[in-house]
């Protein structure tokens, strides 16, 4: 879901007294899918604060203060909904309110009587007095059919939902610590032996990345997460499944693709389709993708092994092409690293 064509009009902001409430109106509007908030009073500090949140956390939300509200409401081409404890019950009218082009008015103190007349719908969220922030949140949830759930704002700061502690990715940095990765793996139900394996792979991958002058922190994070898909399957689809898990959590594509492309020496579109996966190439192309793919083959469980071991295994399964691709990939990374990767790994 992206933003809906919904604007929230905050009426009667009293500087000082309503500062926090109006900020919360703006933040709730943004988080629950509105496109913009307009505020009748002048408030440059609030405008700046909300813009900063959007710059950091994403989306296309806009904020404007000092708006001539009467003119704004009269010119609105769409439905005007006024939230008030005196209105008709939300559950009675929600079905008749259009889903797009909606202006939602919330007050601060007593709103001028003409607001009731200018509105197409005067809507109550219970007939009890409470808060404009709560009324707005519930109304937006119902109007958008909870479309806010699972939305990816694609912001610079991405919060990874976990039950314990905080994990936040700064996309400009793009990386997580080993401890954050471990907590995330546990959160999604990765088994202990998988976590031991990825730790060993990450160690090898980081050594290779250093020799290749690659992005070490990117490699470290992606190596730690490369088997997250094993929570779904231990088959060759675990790379694809892992990438989907990370996409769903809002991870940046540079990490996601390393995970998606680490299986075997990579899967071509035909091979992927034969395995029942989407028909797309999942072959490592960037240096960091290649490094994690190779490092994974240099570790069995949590022990370092020579590359021939994996090549032999592929041949025994009759996967000669895959064996050949892995050999070529290994050679390529070894050439860039200018060192014997087997020695580095054992
Ligand atoms: N007497 C006011 C009224 O019209 O609801 C209460 C003012 S209240 C402090 C500020 C705003 O909260 C109101 O303008 C309204 O937008 C919203 N609000 C409060 N209780 C509400 C309710 N039960 N249903 C819908 N909106 C409510």
């Amino acid at each position: 879901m992206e933003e809906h064509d919904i604007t929230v009009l905050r009426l009667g902001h009293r500087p000082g007294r309503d500062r926090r409430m109006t900020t919360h109106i703006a933040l709730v509007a943004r988080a629950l899918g509105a496109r913009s908030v307009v505020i009748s009073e002048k408030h440059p500090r609030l405008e700046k604060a909300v813009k900063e949140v959007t710059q950091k956390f994403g989306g296309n939300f806009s904020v404007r203060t000092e708006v001539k509200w009467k003119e704004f409401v009269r010119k609105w081409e769409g439905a005007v909904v006024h939230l008030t404890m005196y209105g008709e019950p939300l559950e009675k009218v929600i079905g008749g309110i259009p889903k797009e082009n909606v202006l939602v008015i919330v007050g601060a103190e007593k709103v001028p009587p003409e607001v009731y007349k200018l509105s197409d719908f005067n809507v109550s969220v219970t007939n009890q007095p409470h808060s404009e922030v709560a009324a707005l949140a519930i109304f937006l949830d119902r109007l958008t059919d909870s479309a806010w759930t699972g939305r990816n704002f694609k912001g610079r700061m991405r919060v990874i939902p976990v039950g314990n502690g905080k994990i936040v990715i700064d996309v400009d940095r793009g990386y997580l610590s080993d401890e954050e990765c471990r907590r995330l793996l546990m959160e999604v139900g990765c088994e202990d032996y998988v976590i031991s394996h990825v730790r060993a792979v990450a160690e090898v991958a980081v050594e290779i990345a250093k020799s290749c002058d690659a992005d070490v922190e990117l490699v470290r994070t992606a190596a730690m997460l490369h088997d997250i898909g094993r929570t779904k399957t231990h088959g060759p689809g675990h790379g694809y499944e892992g990438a989907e898990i990370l996409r769903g959590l809002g991870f940046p594509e540079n990490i996601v693709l390393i995970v998606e492309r680490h299986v075997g020496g990579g899967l071509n579109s035909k091979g992927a389709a034969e395995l029942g996966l989407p028909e797309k190439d999942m072959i490592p192309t960037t240096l960091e993708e290649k490094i994690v793919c190779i490092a994974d083959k240099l570790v069995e469980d949590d022990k370092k092994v020579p590359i021939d071991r994996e090549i032999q295994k592929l041949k025994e399964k009759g996967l000669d092409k895959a064996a050949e691709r892995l050999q070529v990939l290994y050679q390529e990374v070894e050439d860039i690293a200018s060192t014997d990767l087997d020695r580095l790994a054992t």
Side-chain angles (χ1 to χ4, degrees), residues 44-168:
R45 264 181 47 206
L46 178 145
E47 219 169 289
K48 186 165 170 272
V50 175
K51 279 180 184 159
E52 274 171 11
V53 168
T54 302
Q55 272 162 13
K56 252 173 136 176
F57 289 92
N60 293 314
F61 189 73
S62 73
V63 53
R64 202 146 60 90
T65 62
E66 214 178 359
V67 168
K68 291 196 174 87
W69 72 267
K70 257 186 238 174
E71 204 181 316
F72 192 87
V73 176
R74 286 206 180 100
K75 283 190 176 158
W76 184 261
E77 292 176 5
V80 178
V81 177
H82 169 216
L83 297 183
T84 165
M85 62 185 280
Y86 307 110
E88 290 191 282
L90 172 68
E91 59 276 19
K92 181 178 160 208
V93 292
I94 190 71
I97 300 177
K99 298 278 181 198
E100 293 291 336
N101 264 357
V102 185
L103 178 65
V104 187
I105 305 176
V106 291
E109 47 193 345
K110 201 168 175 296
V111 299
E114 48 195 320
V115 173
Y116 292 81
K117 293 202 184 80
L118 286 170
S119 302
D120 302 304
F121 303 89
N122 289 289
V123 179
S124 63
V125 182
T126 81
N127 293 117
Q128 303 302 309
H130 55 84
S131 144
E132 52 270 44
V133 179
L136 178 65
I138 290 177
F139 177 75
L140 289 177
D141 176 59
R142 299 291 154 83
L143 186 70
T144 63
D145 297 321
S146 306
W148 53 270
T149 51
R151 176 178 173 196
N152 183 352
F153 279 78
K154 302 193 175 113
R156 179 163 69 73
M157 304 294 279
R158 300 190 189 178
V159 177
I160 305 302
V162 287
N164 187 7
K166 290 197 276 188
I167 304 181
V168 180

